Amino acid sequence: MPLFVLMSVYLYFATAIAALGIGAESISATQDAKRENPAAPEESSITFNSVHVDGPYIAMTFDDGPSATLTPKLLDLLAAHHIKATFFVIGENVAEHPEIVARAAREGHEIGNHSWSHPNFGKMPDQGVRSQLQRTDDAIKNAAGERPTLMRPPYGSITAREKRWIHDEFGYRIILWDVDPLDWKRPGPAVVRSRILKETQPGSIVLSHDIHPGTIEAMPSTFDALEAKGFKFVTISELIRMAKPKASHPSPSPGENAPTSAIPAVSPSPTPAQRASPSG
């Protein structure tokens, strides 16, 4: 066999072997990277503004308590209507009134973490956020007998990175809202009621605060009107368990418009303008 043919064959096999080695090394590096940096949980499974459900189910949520006088009145009202709600409590208030949190939990309401002293998480270092959450987590555990699984950031202010590490460290789902009557502005019970009725739809997460007298005053007629519309009340965790993805449309025939993608069960996070709101 001529020498140049032998050299050509040799070069061919040498190149092929080198390529295989590089390919194997690349695959190994990719696998190592995946092991070292596992995929972060998708935000759609962490953060909830509302939930797509198959039925007239909604979640009433009350922030910033417990209040020594107003929260017990609200608990009486909820019991009279056989409604289960979710309370996002402030750690300082839990430490001061643990018996109220214990009562809420005992009566079937859900307790969520709303920080120790209501700071803006989006503007804080991680260690400060971690301390706020851990102190409140401990206070809820001491009062209610079990630790929370939900967290609502004060003002709805939280970064995407914070959502991920908070979920990883605490296991919390981050709960926002899609109905905000702006009751913290104290517009009066009739306005609070009207705004809730106007904005609430199946799967809604309704924000309000059990530290304002006007909010508590608005609730009897609000509950009556929501019940008259056929809404059924559940806790946040119950609402999430009911989540149903919206069905995708079938593929179009030639010449038809492209289908709309399936809509996820979770609404998008609030805009920066919404985060700036004192609500929450």
Side-chain angles (χ1 to χ4, degrees), residues 167-228:
H167 177 78
D168 289 344
E169 288 191 23
F170 290 89
Y172 292 152
R173 284 176 163 137
I174 288 81
I175 308 302
L176 301 173
W177 59 85
D178 69 326
V179 177
D180 183 358
L182 301 177
D183 61 324
W184 58 272
K185 292 185 176 182
R186 305 195 178 196
V191 175
V192 171
R193 172 184 177 276
S194 175
R195 288 172 177 169
I196 291 176
L197 293 179
K198 180 180 178 181
E199 298 175 22
T200 301
Q201 56 190 328
S204 280
I205 296 174
V206 182
L207 168 69
S208 50
H209 301 77
D210 55 323
I211 60 170
H212 301 308
T215 299
I216 306 306
E217 189 178 340
M219 286 302 114
S221 61
T222 300
F223 292 156
D224 287 340
L226 289 171
E227 289 171 334

Side-chain angles (χ1 to χ4, degrees), residues 125-190:
D126 290 352
Q127 189 52 44
V129 173
R130 185 176 288 107
S131 175
Q132 286 274 329
L133 293 176
Q134 188 60 63
R135 292 176 72 189
T136 306
D137 192 288
D138 292 342
I140 293 172
K141 174 67 165 61
N142 290 336
E146 58 183 16
R147 59 178 303 272
T149 60
L150 309 175
M151 187 276 286
R152 173 172 282 164
Y155 314 106
S157 176
I158 188 170
T159 68
R161 188 184 62 80
E162 285 175 331
K163 290 178 185 180
R164 288 191 293 271
W165 75 253
I166 288 171
H167 177 78
D168 289 344
E169 288 191 23
F170 290 89
Y172 292 152
R173 284 176 163 137
I174 288 81
I175 308 302
L176 301 173
W177 59 85
D178 69 326
V179 177
D180 183 358
L182 301 177
D183 61 324
W184 58 272
K185 292 185 176 182
R186 305 195 178 196

